[in-house]
Amino acid sequence: MIFNIAWVAIGGFFGAMSRFGLSNLIKGKYPTTFPFATLLINLLGSFLLGIIVGANLGNSLRLLLGTGFMGAFTTFSTFKLETIQLHEKGKWNVLILYLITSYLFGILLAFIGIRFGILLTK
């Protein structure tokens, strides 16, 4: 049990640091009112988590990479906060685009990631 917690904690540390660094990099290169950083990170996370699930890794790796790293790398709460902020600012077109691309492409990339992960293990 203690090792499981350690795997999740280690993965979570590196996932959070990676999200922080990548988010700042994206925001610095592409300053815009559209939340590109969160969108790109969550889409990448959907794809990578799909690979992890599809590859059917052992328990320790799944906890380290799936639960820990990807759990901290992706951010559902920031996605929801940015959605509310776009609503409050009345940016309806951006809001609709953000919601559609996040959900539609997130699910699609997770599906593709799973298939890719399965192929990697054959």
Side-chain angles (χ1 to χ4, degrees):
M1 179 65 170
I2 191 75
F3 289 113
N4 291 346
I5 294 169
W7 288 126
V8 172
I10 292 166
F13 171 79
F14 286 106
M17 297 307 291
S18 297
R19 177 179 37 141
F20 178 77
L22 186 57
S23 180
N24 286 332
L25 178 73
I26 293 168
K27 288 176 183 177
K29 280 194 168 278
Y30 306 102
T32 177
T33 58
F34 189 88
F36 275 117
T38 304
L39 176 65
L40 293 176
I41 288 168
N42 284 343
L43 292 178
L44 176 61
S46 295
F47 178 68
L48 294 175
L49 184 57
I51 292 173
I52 292 165
V53 169
N56 199 22
L57 304 174
N59 188 53
S60 295
L61 272 177
R62 193 172 53 250
L63 289 172
L64 175 72
L65 299 175
T67 305
F69 187 89
M70 299 313 304
F73 181 70
T74 59
T75 174
F76 194 69
S77 58
T78 301
F79 166 62
K80 293 302 179 190
L81 176 63
E82 289 169 345
T83 300
I84 291 168
Q85 290 170 337
L86 290 170
H87 175 268
E88 288 175 346
K89 292 177 183 174
K91 297 188 178 221
W92 301 107
N93 292 337
V94 175
L95 172 63
I96 299 297
L97 180 64
Y98 188 40
L99 288 170
I100 290 172
T101 54
S102 292
Y103 283 110
L104 181 67
F105 288 110
I107 292 168
L108 179 64
L109 286 168
F111 178 79
I112 292 169
I114 289 170
R115 298 293 175 221
F116 189 68
I118 291 169
L119 288 174
L120 288 175
T121 58
K122 286 189 175 187

